[in-house]
């Protein structure tokens, strides 16, 4: 692998930040070889052990040589977070403000405070698998003719489960007005009239589960004849 940070004229194409050139193994360079590597990893947020397995075999028969390498890996991770969006001015009805709210805060809530219209504590579980296969065939009968053929194949599987809790229904915290059975029991409002923290009762919650599945396949064949 080589990294070029500056663009030059002989490059076919390049990115703004630079160009990364990957060179696959060649059987004439490696000779007769068999390599196998395996390892596993785990973390506190997922169960089980995820593997990474790599194998390479190369052999030469005189002017002809062939190589095949395979790499497979699996990664599992679990992320936790809190999402909120749709910030805007929200007004509270008089019946939706609890008795422990002081007069100044009550007045702000009645006239409207800035808060997100959607809140969602969430967890994202991802199971990702990668498979890469490279092969190379070289035929060099002499200096007058040389033939190299490279084959590349890659596949990415991605399965993601999104779990979330969100306010919904007639007693939610969505929209620009709070008029249902929900009651704000405490509130912290800063100097920009933004609701920074609060506690509620009477909120309707719903659970959400989204499944996202992706699969990407990559194929490439590169014949490279050369002769004089």
């Amino acid at each position: 692998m080589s990294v070029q940070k500056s663009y030059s004229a002989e490059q076919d194409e390049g990115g703004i930040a630079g160009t990364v050139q990957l060179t696959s193994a060649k059987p004439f360079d490696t000779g007769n070889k068999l390599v196998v590597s395996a390892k596993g990893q785990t973390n506190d947020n997922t169960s089980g052990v995820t593997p990474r397995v790599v194998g390479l075999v190369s052999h030469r028969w005189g002017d002809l040589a062939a190589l095949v390498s395979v790499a497979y890996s699996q990664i599992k991770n679990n992320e936790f977070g809190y999402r909120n969006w749709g910030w805007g001015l929200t007004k509270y009805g008089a019946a939706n403000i609890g008795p422990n709210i002081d007069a100044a805060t009550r007045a702000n809530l009645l006239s409207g405070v800035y808060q997100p219209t959607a809140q969602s504590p969430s967890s994202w579980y991802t199971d990702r698998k990668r498979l890469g296969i490279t092969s190379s065939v070289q035929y060099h009968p002499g200096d007058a003719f040389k033939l190299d053929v490279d084959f590349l194949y890659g596949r990415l599987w991605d399965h993601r489960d999104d779990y979330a809790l969100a306010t919904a229904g007639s007693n939610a915290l969505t929209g620009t007005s709070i008029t249902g059975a929900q009651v704000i029991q405490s509130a912290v409002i800063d100097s920009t009239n933004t609701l920074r923290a609060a506690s509620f009762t009477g909120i309707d919650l719903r659970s959400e589960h989204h499944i996202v599945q992706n699969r990407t396949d990559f194929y490439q064949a590169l014949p490279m004849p050369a002769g004089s």
Side-chain angles (χ1 to χ4, degrees), residues 12-95:
D12 293 334
E13 60 183 44
I16 296 176
T19 302
V20 177
Q21 295 179 332
L22 299 176
T23 302
S24 59
K26 303 292 185 181
F28 277 154
D29 297 332
T30 59
N32 297 332
K33 184 174 292 187
L34 173 64
V35 177
V36 177
S37 173
K39 71 176 184 179
Q41 64 181 10
T42 185
N43 62 71
D44 294 336
N45 290 331
T46 59
S47 61
V49 177
T50 56
R52 185 179 189 274
V53 182
V54 178
L56 180 146
V57 59
S58 174
H59 193 77
R60 179 172 180 175
W61 304 270
D63 298 332
L64 178 67
L67 177 149
V68 177
S69 65
V70 179
Y72 173 82
S73 65
Q74 182 182 18
I75 296 176
K76 294 181 180 181
N77 59 63
N78 199 0
E79 305 171 70
F80 304 90
Y82 179 80
R83 299 179 293 181
N84 58 63
W85 62 96
W87 284 75
L89 191 67
T90 301
K91 296 182 179 181
Y92 286 75

Side-chain angles (χ1 to χ4, degrees), residues 1 20 43 106 123 128 143 165 173-175 183 209 224:
M1 182 179 70
V20 177
N43 62 71
R106 176 181 293 271
S123 175
R128 181 175 293 123
D143 294 336
L165 288 175
L173 296 177
T174 57
V183 177
H209 178 209
M224 292 175 288

Side-chain angles (χ1 to χ4, degrees), residues 123-226:
S123 175
W124 305 273
Y125 175 80
T126 302
D127 185 355
R128 181 175 293 123
K129 301 175 184 177
R130 290 187 176 96
L131 173 65
I133 301 174
T134 64
S135 62
S136 178
V137 177
Q138 292 183 294
Y139 178 57
H140 295 183
D143 294 336
F145 178 79
K146 295 181 180 180
L147 177 63
D148 293 2
V149 181
D150 294 334
F151 301 95
L152 304 176
Y153 171 74
R155 171 173 287 185
L156 171 65
W157 298 269
D158 191 84
H159 180 100
R160 179 171 173 139
D161 288 282
D162 296 350
Y163 299 93
L165 288 175
T167 64
S170 58
N171 300 310
L173 296 177
T174 57
T176 57
S177 62
I178 304 298
T179 58
Q182 60 275 55
V183 177
I184 184 169
Q185 301 290 353
S186 65
V188 177
I189 302 173
D190 65 13
S191 59
T192 64
N193 199 35
T194 299
L195 185 66
R196 292 296 182 183
S199 61
F200 297 87
T201 58
I203 299 296
D204 292 342
L205 290 175
R206 71 180 178 190
S207 61
E208 299 177 350
H209 178 209
H210 304 278
I211 297 177
V212 180
Q213 298 188 83
N214 299 301
R215 196 187 84 177
T216 303
D217 292 285
F218 173 80
Y219 307 87
Q220 189 176 51
L222 299 172
M224 292 175 288

